[in-house]
Amino acid sequence: MTKINKKHLPLYFSSAVIILLIVVFSLIESRFLNAANMANLLSDAAPLLIMAAGMTPVLLLGSIDLSVGSVCSVANVFALTILLSFQGTHWTLGTAVLVSFGLTALAAIAAGAIMGLVHVKLKIPSFIATLAFMSIWSSVALLISSAPIAIPRQLWGMVAWYDISVGPFSLPLFIALLFIVIYYVILTRTVFGRGIYAIGGNERCARIAGVPVDRVKVSVFAINAFCAALASIFLVAKAKSAAPTVGDGFTLMVIAAVVLGGTSLVGGVGNVINTIFGVFIVALISNGMNIIGVDVFWQRIVFGVILLVAVAINTDRTSRSIAVK
């Protein structure tokens, strides 16, 4: 009898859950499997895929980033505010889009690096450091704009790229999957990626082995913030608007997706490709609850329970403490 490789168990589990969810929701609501809803589900998954890809190495370190939703919110309103400031100037629409989105990405990278430096240099646990920055960035988003900002109809052309698709597969989904593949190669084929796994496995041994632990950690938090900013740009293009609270619901969903993909909160175990399966579990549940009319507050409760179950399943209670670094 063939023995099942334990490394593949999270993948088997996630695949089984995806199939089960599709069957259950399609039986409850016949519209669930129609082409329009599937296209909408795949499009909605793109921002979550990007954010989950960024969060995966954070958890691989044995750390956590609770500020990712707030970074998404502040980047969301920052990008659109900068973009609309070019109205009435000599700048072309394409150049204005590139400048505003580029500045947003750079600001997010700087924000993530600052947070990483606070964490590693002041020896503040990532849970506490990112919780503090979550409050800071949430407030900054509201200071930039206390209310949602809409893109004027005459400027909708600047986000038309979001609606480009081939069948049910949208351009943002292709971009997200390409980013994940590139990040997977970086994590598995480079010194930087191997350093992340080494730190998550045993930080003290990694330091002795010469891994630049502090630099790797700061880089991972900076990349995670960049991913949040990229997701926020997707959200601007999708909604043709920005809101200072748009990322509030994402933190829980992102962490749940990564853990459902088999990444351990202890660190050192996980795979960014498997995170894709966790994301689609979350996306299916969210889409399914929306289409059958589940109240948004009940949805938050469901995702909280899902996170607890995912952590319980993936925690090895025979090993070291699950304290987050």
Side-chain angles (χ1 to χ4, degrees):
M1 189 174 176
T2 306
K3 216 172 183 182
I4 296 175
N5 190 331
K6 285 186 178 180
K7 287 184 178 180
H8 296 152
L9 283 176
L11 183 60
Y12 297 147
F13 171 76
S14 299
S15 300
V17 171
I18 288 173
I19 293 169
L20 178 63
L21 287 170
I22 291 173
V23 171
V24 170
F25 281 125
S26 60
L27 289 174
I28 295 174
E29 176 54 68
S30 59
R31 294 175 300 159
F32 180 73
L33 281 178
N34 67 33
N37 188 55
M38 287 297 100
N40 185 56
L41 186 152
L42 292 172
S43 177
D44 287 347
L48 186 58
L49 277 167
I50 291 290
M51 293 177 75
M55 182 65 77
T56 301
V58 175
L59 295 191
L60 285 174
L61 289 172
S63 300
I64 199 164
D65 188 351
L66 299 177
S67 71
V68 67
S70 299
V71 172
C72 178
S73 292
V74 73
N76 190 250
V77 291
F78 179 80
L80 190 50
T81 300
I82 295 295
L83 185 58
L84 294 180
S85 70
F86 286 104
Q87 279 187 289
T89 67
H90 66 281
W91 292 75
T92 64
L93 190 59
T95 304
V97 169
L98 289 175
V99 170
S100 61
F101 290 174
L103 287 174
T104 300
L106 290 174
I109 291 170
I114 291 169
M115 186 167 58
L117 285 168
V118 168
H119 165 48
V120 301
K121 296 302 182 183
L122 300 183
K123 309 298 181 186
I124 300 174
S126 59
F127 179 88
I128 301 300
T130 60
L131 185 64
F133 274 97
M134 178 181 73
S135 176
I136 292 169
W137 299 136
S138 294
S139 299
V140 170
L142 289 166
L143 287 171
I144 293 173
S145 176
S146 58
I149 312 167
I151 299 177
R153 183 174 290 273
Q154 64 268 26
L155 297 180
W156 281 10
M158 67 186 183
V159 292
W161 55 269
Y162 195 89
D163 298 321
I164 298 172
S165 61
V166 179
F169 304 102
S170 63
L171 177 61
L173 181 64
F174 282 119
I175 294 172
L177 292 175
L178 177 62
F179 180 86
I180 287 175
V181 170
I182 293 171
Y183 211 2
Y184 171 76
V185 173
I186 292 171
L187 291 173
T188 57
R189 298 287 187 271
T190 67
V191 174
F192 173 71
R194 289 192 288 271
I196 292 172
Y197 280 97
I199 294 167
N202 190 314
E203 185 174 324
R204 186 178 179 185
C205 287
R207 286 187 186 276
I208 294 171
V211 176
V213 174
D214 290 357
R215 185 168 46 186
V216 169
K217 284 188 172 184
V218 171
S219 299
V220 167
F221 278 99
I223 294 170
N224 190 38
F226 167 77
C227 290
L230 182 55
S232 77
I233 290 169
F234 281 9
L235 294 170
V236 167
K238 178 178 172 58
K240 297 180 178 63
S241 64
T245 57
V246 72
D248 287 0
F250 274 97
T251 301
L252 182 60
M253 293 170 68
V254 168
I255 296 173
V258 177
V259 176
L260 283 168
T263 300
S264 172
L265 286 172
V266 176
V269 177
N271 186 310
V272 74
I273 294 295
N274 288 355
T275 295
I276 296 173
F277 291 85
V279 167
F280 279 107
I281 290 175
V282 171
L284 281 166
I285 293 171
S286 179
N287 180 273
M289 288 194 294
N290 282 331
I291 204 168
I292 64 178
V294 177
D295 186 274
V296 66
F297 298 112
W298 280 106
Q299 291 187 31
R300 296 283 182 88
I301 293 172
V302 169
F303 282 118
V305 172
I306 289 170
L307 180 58
L308 289 173
V309 172
V311 171
I313 291 172
N314 289 333
T315 298
D316 181 3
R317 292 170 182 80
T318 64
S319 65
R320 54 201 169 93
S321 168
I322 63 168
V324 176
K325 294 176 271 186

